[in-house]
Amino acid sequence: MTAALHTSSITSLPLIARGKVRENYAVGEDRILMIASDRISAFDVIMSEPIPGKGALLTKMALFWFDKLDGIVPNHLTGDDPLSVVSDAEKDQVRDRAMLVKRLKPLPIEAVVRGYLAGSGWSEYKAGGKVCGVELPAGLQNASKLPQPIFTPATKAEMGDHDENIDFERCAQIIGRELAEQVRDIAIRLYQRAADYALTKGIIIADTKFEFGLDADGTLTLMDEVLTPDSSRYWPAESYAVGSNPPSYDKQFLRDWLEQATVDGQPWGKVAPAPTLPADVIANTAAKYQEALDRLTR
Ligand SMILES: Nc1ncnc2c1ncn2[C@@H]1O[C@H](COP(=O)(O)OP(=O)(O)O)[C@@H](O)[C@H]1O
Ligand SMILES: [Mg+2]
């Protein structure tokens, strides 16, 4: 395995943006080199220590899913080799962890699909029986499976902010009704195919977030990472029980540790900077990402 990479620095290409996990570099006018670093965030705060192997695993997993989802909607992959667009000295920062993709005009919404009630979905349901305006039957519990998967869009928050759940009407106002309907129907089909497959491997995908963009011709295209444990709630099927939130597959060690971590004798307030991660939290987290990939692809 190559050395862990917290932050890439490719100087032969213009940097477009640094996200929580990825750096995007422009390759000409129409392509992007997306480098998945080994950074990890929890409670929307980026940790100082990288998780070795994480970027490569996420990239492998996203590529696996793009392949599985083929035929539903075009995706941003070009098939071009990411190593071909950087200098020799920069190849170690790119190998196994990058995608060379079509540069798209991102839609300003997150296409979230939920098959189960969890997180902000569960909170909204408890408060008013609905999630993003979708009426749900009474009597559901935390982690209940929904009668069918629902589209629960969110706005894209700026770095450091939390995304905001919106209803379908708001989504239609933002991107146009026809496009919103197309995104909703496609996102649900993508989720359904992925969730059905994952379940055969003992993984429940409780919910997931897709991102879409438009290409130069205005064609709706699936972009970003897809169906990784970073963009989805993965639950091990064997420990699933209605009524309590199952431990998340990948970040549970980290979240549990952060919940009890102290900084200068005080509980950590979930704002940057994060406390220094101990080696066992790093190792356990890395192992969980690996296990998720092994399960899905075995
Ligand atoms: N094909 C694409 N064209 C343009 N932007 C893209 C494409 N694929 C992904 N992106 C954007 O690249 C960024 C990926 O970086 P990431 O670290 O995941 O960011 P974030 O912190 O927003 O999750 C996201 O802002 C995503 O919207
Ligand atoms: Mg992202």
Side-chain angles (χ1 to χ4, degrees), residues 19-22 24 32 34 76 101-102 104 211 223-224:
K20 285 192 289 289
V21 171
R22 291 171 185 76
N24 285 355
I32 295 178
M34 274 182 63
H76 67 166
V101 301
K102 274 190 213 170
L104 303 169
E211 293 191 37
M223 62 176 219
D224 201 48

Side-chain angles (χ1 to χ4, degrees), residues 1 16 31 34 37 40 68 72 97 99 108 124 144 149 151 157 161 166 168 170 196 198 207 213 236 238 245 247 271:
M1 197 200 304
I16 304 173
R31 290 183 300 170
M34 274 182 63
S37 74
I40 191 165
K68 275 266 174 281
I72 296 178
R97 63 167 76 249
M99 293 192 277
E124 279 194 30
S144 280
F151 179 63
D161 272 359
I166 54 175
F168 182 78
R170 181 83 193 103
D196 288 352
D207 52 42
E238 69 276 5
N245 207 343
V271 287

Side-chain angles (χ1 to χ4, degrees), residues 40-216:
I40 191 165
S41 65
F43 307 115
D44 281 337
V45 176
I46 298 167
M47 305 294 121
S48 306
E49 297 74 29
I51 304 298
K54 175 175 180 274
L57 274 163
L58 289 184
T59 300
K60 216 182 234 183
M61 215 182 269
L63 293 174
F64 168 81
W65 282 119
F66 276 124
D67 185 51
K68 275 266 174 281
L69 298 173
D70 195 37
I72 296 178
V73 66
N75 67 50
H76 67 166
L77 299 179
T78 60
D80 303 339
D81 181 4
L83 291 174
S84 68
V85 296
V86 294
S87 70
D88 283 347
E90 292 167 336
K91 290 195 161 109
D92 283 347
Q93 296 184 64
V94 170
R95 193 169 291 112
D96 298 333
R97 63 167 76 249
M99 293 192 277
L100 187 47
V101 301
K102 274 190 213 170
R103 185 166 185 170
L104 303 169
K105 189 163 168 276
L107 298 184
I109 57 120
E110 318 236 51
V112 177
V113 181
R114 298 168 193 268
Y116 293 75
L117 265 189
S120 66
W122 169 236
S123 305
E124 279 194 30
Y125 175 79
K126 265 191 300 187
K130 292 193 260 194
V131 183
C132 295
V134 181
E135 281 298 341
L136 294 171
L140 296 178
Q141 298 175 56
N142 195 4
S144 280
K145 186 169 200 258
L146 300 174
Q148 71 259 326
I150 57 171
F151 179 63
T152 58
T155 57
K156 271 188 195 168
E158 294 299 316
M159 189 95 165
D161 272 359
H162 299 277
D163 298 334
E164 187 197 337
N165 287 351
I166 54 175
D167 63 11
F168 182 78
E169 283 309 309
R170 181 83 193 103
C171 177
Q173 281 168 8
I174 297 171
I175 64 171
R177 182 164 306 273
E178 204 184 320
L179 193 54
E181 285 172 357
Q182 210 188 341
V183 166
R184 176 191 62 199
D185 296 351
I186 288 170
I188 289 175
R189 282 176 65 200
L190 293 169
Y191 169 81
Q192 192 69 67
R193 191 190 287 182
D196 288 352
Y197 173 83
L199 202 54
T200 68
K201 305 292 180 179
I203 291 176
I204 293 171
I205 301 178
D207 52 42
T208 195
K209 175 215 54 165
F210 298 107
E211 293 191 37
F212 292 90
L214 301 176
D215 74 5

